[in-house]
Amino acid sequence: QVQLVESGGGLVQPGGSLRLSCAVSGTILSINTMGWYRQAPGKQRELVASITKSSATNYADGVKGRFAISRDNAKKMVYLQMNSLKPEDTAIYYCNAEVNWRNSWGQGTQVTVSS
C-alpha cells in the first residue's frame, strides 16, 4: 500500500509564503514524476507544478516565478515553495506521484490566502 501525505498548508496573508511537503511511504519500487495540483471551490483540479525523476520541472503559467518545486529522492519527498501568494492561490493542494508505475494522490492540504 502506497501513501502520500501532505503537510504545510494554512492561512497566510497576501504576499506571504508557505512551503508544502509531501511524503511518500509504503512498498516503493519506483517513483517517477511527482507534482502538485490544486482545486479551488467550483473549479477543476489543475496542475501547479511537476518534477521528473531527473529534476526537470514544469510550472503552470500563473505560478511561474513565484513557486518552486523540488524533490528529495532519498527521503521520497516532494516540496512546493510558494512565495508572493495571492488570494487566487487559495485552494486545496494535492500531491501527486507516479509510484510503482501507478498514479497516486494525497488527501490534500488547504491553502488560504487572505488578509
Side-chain angles (χ1 to χ4, degrees):
Q1 192 77 0
V2 171
Q3 281 192 315
L4 280 66
V5 179
E6 302 100 335
S7 60
L11 173 64
V12 63
Q13 291 187 342
S17 298
L18 281 176
R19 188 191 193 213
L20 305 183
S21 300
C22 173
V24 183
S25 63
T27 302
I28 299 167
L29 303 176
S30 173
I31 304 177
N32 292 316
T33 297
M34 307 179 81
W36 291 92
Y37 287 71
R38 67 186 180 188
Q39 187 166 20
K43 294 188 176 182
Q44 288 189 330
R45 191 173 297 189
E46 62 177 2
L47 174 69
V48 177
S50 64
I51 183 167
T52 67
K53 199 170 185 176
S54 59
S55 295
T57 58
N58 179 52
Y59 295 92
D61 287 343
V63 307
K64 285 180 181 176
R66 300 189 298 122
F67 291 9
I69 189 170
S70 60
R71 64 189 285 170
D72 185 326
N73 292 329
K75 294 183 178 178
K76 301 180 180 61
M77 294 195 69
V78 62
Y79 308 96
L80 185 67
Q81 178 66 43
M82 305 185 293
N83 300 324
S84 301
L85 282 160
K86 304 176 180 179
E88 51 263 44
D89 295 317
T90 295
I92 299 174
Y93 283 71
Y94 296 91
C95 176
N96 173 270
E98 184 186 324
V99 183
N100 300 342
W101 303 279
R102 292 183 178 180
N103 200 30
S104 298
W105 292 91
Q107 81 288 350
T109 185
Q110 177 71 47
V111 171
T112 302
V113 184
S114 175
S115 54

